[in-house]
Amino acid sequence: MRLFRLLMLGLASAYPLYWTAQFLLFFVPETLLGFWLGQPLQVTSISYLQAMAVVEPHAVFPAHWEALVFALFFSALIIGLRADQFLTGALAIVFLGQAALLPFLSLAMTSSGEALTTSCAVGLAFALIILGLHRILRLTGGLEFLDRLALLSLLAVMPQATLWLAFKFIYPFFDVRFLLLRIIPLYLAAVVAALLYSRSSAPVFSGVPWTEIVASSAAAALLILAIGLSSGIASAANSTPPALCTWFDASQTQASLSPCGTCQWDVNVANS
């Protein structure tokens, strides 16, 4: 029953934590900078996959660096407020690290310049994922390596794989690379975290409280409802479909409209 509750918590919290991380890293920074500088702000997309905004006529800073800085900031805030004492708080650090890592992985695959800084950023974001997984193990424990890896897989890896498979089923245009670039680093980080964890301070895992599962499920339902209402209002007020946003390739030689969600890890790469 304890393992079942752990899996249920992962499934219930995967989507709200994913979308919130996207919102905090790719919408909030540009919005704050736009208000601070007094520049017009364009909401690129608000959909079930993500929320993005950019200061016009162009972004103030490259989106991937903004995402990394804010991921570090919000992770430090979670730890400072001791929210990592809850499984969802520790899992939020994992999602922040993943959201920050993805643009740099895309940049490393599409551009040969600034290899050193990109590698350092990849390492920093990957370390943030490991930190979140390590905080999870502090709450769940685990005597052996395989036990710890199984616990992390139940809470972090399997729910996200289920989420991305659902996205692929709902959105046929969903790029499989997006799934692989999130799941593979996450599983590797889980292996590293399971190896590094010291079982000397391992608590006795008493299971996930149902209140945390119900709260995560309610947050997911409210988030889906709010996005649906906002998308409906936006589509009624604008003839341009809200699920489309501008995608720029790494060489900044072309721009085209593509379904929202397949582009967030490529947008503003050229600004680096």
Side-chain angles (χ1 to χ4, degrees), residues 212-232:
E212 197 168 355
I213 299 176
V214 172
S216 299
S217 302
L222 291 175
L223 178 61
I224 293 173
L225 178 61
I227 296 173
L229 292 176
S230 63
S231 300

Side-chain angles (χ1 to χ4, degrees), residues 6 84-91 93-94 129-156 188-206:
L6 195 66
D84 59 329
Q85 300 300 314
F86 300 92
L87 286 173
T88 48
L91 190 57
I93 299 177
V94 175
I129 300 174
I130 296 176
L131 174 63
L133 294 172
H134 187 271
R135 295 283 174 168
I136 292 174
L137 287 178
R138 289 182 59 184
L139 300 174
T140 61
L143 297 178
E144 302 295 337
F145 165 75
L146 292 179
D147 295 335
R148 298 190 291 270
L149 184 60
L151 291 171
L152 293 177
S153 298
L154 281 174
L155 181 61
L188 293 177
V191 172
V192 174
L195 286 172
L196 295 178
Y197 180 72
S198 175
R199 60 185 179 184
S200 59
S201 59
V204 178
F205 182 47
S206 58

Side-chain angles (χ1 to χ4, degrees), residues 46-150:
I46 296 180
S47 70
Y48 292 107
L49 291 173
Q50 65 185 12
M52 292 187 66
V54 62
V55 174
E56 293 183 336
H58 57 79
V60 180
F61 299 106
H64 47 292
W65 286 110
E66 287 181 350
L68 180 59
V69 171
F70 272 73
L72 294 172
F73 170 75
F74 284 114
S75 298
L77 189 64
I78 290 173
I79 296 175
L81 295 176
R82 302 185 64 84
D84 59 329
Q85 300 300 314
F86 300 92
L87 286 173
T88 48
L91 190 57
I93 299 177
V94 175
F95 276 87
L96 289 170
Q98 285 183 275
L101 175 64
L102 194 58
F104 287 101
L105 289 180
S106 175
L107 181 62
M109 294 171 58
T110 57
S111 177
S112 58
E114 300 184 5
L116 179 60
T117 56
T118 301
S119 300
C120 292
V122 168
L124 191 57
F126 188 74
L128 195 59
I129 300 174
I130 296 176
L131 174 63
L133 294 172
H134 187 271
R135 295 283 174 168
I136 292 174
L137 287 178
R138 289 182 59 184
L139 300 174
T140 61
L143 297 178
E144 302 295 337
F145 165 75
L146 292 179
D147 295 335
R148 298 190 291 270
L149 184 60

Side-chain angles (χ1 to χ4, degrees), residues 129-266:
I129 300 174
I130 296 176
L131 174 63
L133 294 172
H134 187 271
R135 295 283 174 168
I136 292 174
L137 287 178
R138 289 182 59 184
L139 300 174
T140 61
L143 297 178
E144 302 295 337
F145 165 75
L146 292 179
D147 295 335
R148 298 190 291 270
L149 184 60
L151 291 171
L152 293 177
S153 298
L154 281 174
L155 181 61
V157 181
M158 291 179 59
Q160 287 203 48
T162 304
L163 176 64
W164 300 123
L165 290 177
F167 279 158
K168 181 63 177 176
F169 178 77
I170 298 173
Y171 301 101
F173 56 77
F174 199 78
D175 198 335
V176 178
R177 291 181 303 168
F178 189 83
L179 168 64
L180 296 178
L181 288 177
R182 290 189 66 97
I183 297 300
I184 293 178
L186 175 62
Y187 187 76
L188 293 177
V191 172
V192 174
L195 286 172
L196 295 178
Y197 180 72
S198 175
R199 60 185 179 184
S200 59
S201 59
V204 178
F205 182 47
S206 58
V208 179
W210 281 109
T211 53
E212 197 168 355
I213 299 176
V214 172
S216 299
S217 302
L222 291 175
L223 178 61
I224 293 173
L225 178 61
I227 296 173
L229 292 176
S230 63
S231 300
I233 295 174
S235 60
N238 192 345
S239 58
T240 302
L244 296 179
C245 54
T246 304
W247 174 83
F248 295 91
D249 67 4
S251 60
Q252 205 177 7
T253 58
Q254 63 180 3
S256 60
L257 287 177
S258 65
C260 180
T262 61
C263 59
Q264 75 91 10
W265 44 286
D266 285 313

